[in-house]
Structure formats: C-alpha cells, structure tokens
C-alpha cells in the first residue's frame, strides 16, 4: 500500500461510525481524562503547642517533643469587629448579612451586659449606609439602629441627625423614606436632645420645608410647590410619612411637657420651690450660649434648649406651615386626615405659648 492510499484510509477513520457490541463498554475517545477522583479540603484554626519531655535513665537522657492540637473559635468581640469592617464591602449582600449578624449579636447578648464595641465606634460605621443604593441594606440598617440601647443614644444624636438631614434632602425617594424612619426613631428615644442640639431645630425645619415644597419668602408670604426630585411613593404614602414625622417633631419641640414636668418636680420638693435654679451648674461653660465674648451666632447651628425659644423661632415658619397643611387637608383621604392632625398640633402648641406669655 502506497503512502497516498494510507493517508486516504487514515482520513476515512474520522468519518466511520464505531460498531457497538452488546455487553461491552463504549470505547473511550482518544482525549479521555479520568475525573472519577474527588478531593476534599477542610480548614480548621489550629493551635499547636509543644512540650519537651525528658526521660532520664541511668545510662542516657532522651528528650521527646510532644505536640497537642486543639481547635479554638474566634471570640464574640473579634467576630463583631470583623463584621463591622465588612460594612464597607463592595457586595450589598455581604453588607446586609453583616448588618443582620450585628443585629442578632446585639439583641441576643446578656441582659445588662455592655455592647461588644462602644457606640462611638459602631455609629460612624453605620451612618454611611443610610445612603446605600440597596433597599435591603437600608431596611436592615434601621433594624440595627432600633436594637441599640436607647439610653446611650443621646450622646450621638448630633452625628445621627446630621446624616438624617442629608438623607431627607436626597434625590432618591427610597433614601428619603429611610431618613424619615431614622428621624422617627430618634424622636422616640431621644426627642428632647434632637430638638435642642446644635442645628436640631432650625436645620430640621428647613429640611421639612424643602421636602414638602413649602418656602418662606422675605416678604413673609408663603409659596407652595411639590418637591419634584426623585420618584414619589404611590398613593401618597410618602406624604403621609412626612406629615406624621413632622407632627412628632413639632410636638416634641413645641409641646408643654417640659413645663409640666418642672411643676411636678417643684411640687415634690416642697417647701424648697425652684431649688434647682439656685444650684451650681452641672456643665461647664453654662453661659456659652449667650456668646458674650464670641462672634455673632449662626441661627442654623444654635442651641435651643427652651421650648419658648423654639416657639419664637417657629413664628417665622408658622404661616408657611399652616397654609401648606391647609392645602393638603383639602385633598381629603388619609393624607387630609394626617394634615389636619398636624395642623391641630401646631395651633394647640402655639396657643399654649401665647397663653403662657399672657399669664
């Protein structure tokens, strides 16, 4: 057979169908690779300790090395710190799972036991997630904030409120909703500190006016225009949420609960009336708010500890707020009822301060 015939026969082998026989295995291809083996790898944290054991005989001394292998899991503090560091992970799934772990670790700790990390470390890690693009991450963030001990939140209200005000002015409607959830939680756990901290009263009022589209002009007139940035929630749920939180905020800042509690305290200390007014101050620089030797005070960063001072400042916003609430009340439905309740709160609180001035 010549070389040409042999080459022709070799080429024909590629197009010939192999004959299969009953009871015999199918022939394997020429490039077959055996993949029947399996590999398994398990990683355990090991702690290996070595001890030297000396065996002494009369003739010689033998030194043996003994190794003990033991598994040791990371501590709860180490895991808590690790998941705190994962809050800045690029994956939203990882951020959500880390928030869920932190929430479970806080809620399942022993009663009256301290947190695994102080709030001064936890809160700055959490607040940037308020503007996270994932809705599930923000929902889990609100759950985590609600699980924090409320009696320790007052020291961090200023930082929490700053990020909340930024979220209220965000372009995305979902992020504005999350910011309102956080503000509602802050008013529930530390309402007096929210309305009295630096920028807590004026800046938050301005955020609500921008959010609702109510503006105060220099001519003391009011103008109303619905906020056009972002996609609003359906069926007016966003507006109902905004009005409910606004009502809680105004009730906390203008309500008469401070005066009532003071009268009860004075009655309990009879016959020492107003004794606390003559005691030494409990904080340093107690007259710093007067700015006697400093520069002119900025209204937005000012402290308003007294409800009367907040009521004086609210007189500037009252026409725009009342006219805006009256316009929303005409829409009827759930939105109208919520606006009517907010309008009633404003009138009752301001009427109380006017009666107090007369008396």
């Amino acid at each position: 057979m010549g070389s040409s015939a042999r080459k022709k026969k070799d080429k024909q082998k590629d197009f010939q169908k192999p004959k299969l026989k009953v009871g015999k295995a199918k022939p394997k291809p020429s490039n077959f690779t055996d993949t029947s083996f399996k590999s398994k790898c398990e990683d355990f944290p090991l702690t290996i300790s070595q001890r030297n054991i000396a065996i002494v005989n009369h003739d010689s001394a033998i030194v043996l090395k003994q190794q003990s292998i033991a598994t040791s899991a990371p501590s709860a503090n180490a895991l808590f710190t690790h998941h705190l560091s994962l809050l800045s992970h690029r994956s939203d799934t990882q951020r959500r799972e880390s928030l869920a772990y932190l929430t479970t670790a806080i809620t399942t700790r022993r009663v009256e036991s301290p947190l695994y990390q102080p709030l001064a470390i936890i809160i700055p890690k959490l607040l940037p997630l308020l503007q996270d693009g994932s809705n599930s991450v923000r929902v889990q963030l609100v759950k985590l904030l609600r699980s924090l001990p409320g009696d320790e939140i007052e020291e961090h209200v200023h930082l929490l409120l700053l990020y909340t005000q930024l979220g209220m002015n965000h372009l995305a409607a979902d992020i504005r909703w999350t910011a309102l959830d956080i503000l509602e939680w802050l008013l529930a756990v530390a309402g007096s500190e929210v309305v009295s901290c630096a920028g807590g009263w004026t800046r938050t009022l301005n955020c609500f006016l921008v959010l609702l589209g109510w503006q105060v002009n220099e001519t003391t007139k009011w103008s109303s225009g619905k906020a056009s940035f972002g996609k609003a929630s359906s069926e007016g749920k966003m507006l109902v949420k905004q009005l409910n939180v606004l009502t809680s905020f105004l009730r906390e800042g203008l309500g008469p609960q401070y005066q009532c509690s003071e009268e009860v305290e004075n009655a309990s200390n009879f016959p020492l009336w107003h004794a606390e007014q003559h005691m030494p101050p409990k904080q340093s620089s107690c007259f710093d708010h007067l700015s006697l030797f400093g520069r002119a005070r900025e209204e937005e960063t000012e402290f308003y500890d007294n409800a009367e001072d907040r009521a004086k400042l609210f007189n500037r916003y009252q026409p725009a707020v009342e006219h805006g609430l009256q316009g929303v009340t005409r829409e009827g439905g759930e939105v109208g009822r919520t606006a009517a309740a907010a309008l009633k709160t404003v009138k009752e609180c301001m009427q109380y301060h006017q009666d107090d001035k007369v008396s």
Side-chain angles (χ1 to χ4, degrees), residues 283-292 295 297 302-305 309:
Q283 59 182 3
S284 61
S285 303
C286 56
F287 298 104
D288 189 33
H289 64 281
L290 298 178
S291 187
L292 297 177
R295 60 182 182 180
R297 296 179 297 178
E302 188 60 34
F303 293 85
Y304 294 96
D305 298 332
D309 296 337

Side-chain angles (χ1 to χ4, degrees), residues 128-187:
L129 297 178
L130 192 151
Q131 300 185 13
D132 195 279
S134 175
N135 186 38
S136 59
V137 173
R138 297 194 307 273
V139 170
Q140 192 62 45
L141 171 65
V142 176
K143 293 181 180 179
L144 175 56
L145 291 175
R146 293 182 183 275
S147 66
L148 297 176
D151 54 348
E152 301 179 12
I153 297 297
E154 292 186 358
E155 301 177 0
H156 311 278
V157 164
H158 178 69
L159 184 60
L160 285 163
L161 195 59
L162 180 61
Y163 277 84
T164 303
Q165 292 167 352
L166 291 175
M168 292 173 65
N169 293 328
H170 202 275
L171 296 177
D174 294 338
I175 295 180
R176 298 200 300 271
W177 183 283
T178 304
L180 291 173
D181 282 337
I182 296 178
L183 180 58
E184 186 177 17
W185 164 72
L186 279 176
L187 291 172

Side-chain angles (χ1 to χ4, degrees), residues 184-241:
E184 186 177 17
W185 164 72
L186 279 176
L187 291 172
V189 298
S192 59
E193 187 67 21
V194 169
V195 296
S196 61
C197 69
W201 181 246
T202 308
R203 285 181 178 175
T204 309
L205 278 177
N206 291 331
C207 288
F208 273 111
L209 292 180
V210 174
L211 197 62
L212 295 169
W214 303 337
Q215 299 178 0
V216 181
N217 297 331
E218 296 180 357
T219 58
T220 67
K221 296 182 180 180
W222 70 279
S223 61
S224 177
K226 295 184 178 179
S228 59
F229 46 85
K231 183 179 180 181
S233 180
S234 59
E235 300 179 0
K237 292 183 179 179
M238 174 63 76
L239 184 56
V240 171
K241 181 74 172 180

Side-chain angles (χ1 to χ4, degrees), residues 11 15 36 62 64 69 101 195 211 232 258 260 281 285 354:
K11 292 181 180 180
F15 303 96
S36 60
I62 304 175
L64 302 178
I69 301 177
Y101 175 85
V195 296
L211 197 62
Y258 301 102
C260 293
S285 303
Q354 292 177 2

Side-chain angles (χ1 to χ4, degrees), residues 248-287:
S248 302
F249 179 74
L250 295 177
R251 187 183 297 113
E252 188 67 37
L254 302 174
Q257 62 269 22
Y258 301 102
Q259 287 77 5
C260 293
S261 62
E262 185 178 353
E263 292 176 359
V264 172
E265 185 177 359
N266 291 331
S268 63
N269 293 332
F270 179 81
L272 300 177
W273 295 98
H274 303 285
E276 66 280 356
Q277 302 295 336
H278 306 282
M279 298 296 291
K282 298 182 180 179
Q283 59 182 3
S284 61
S285 303
C286 56
F287 298 104

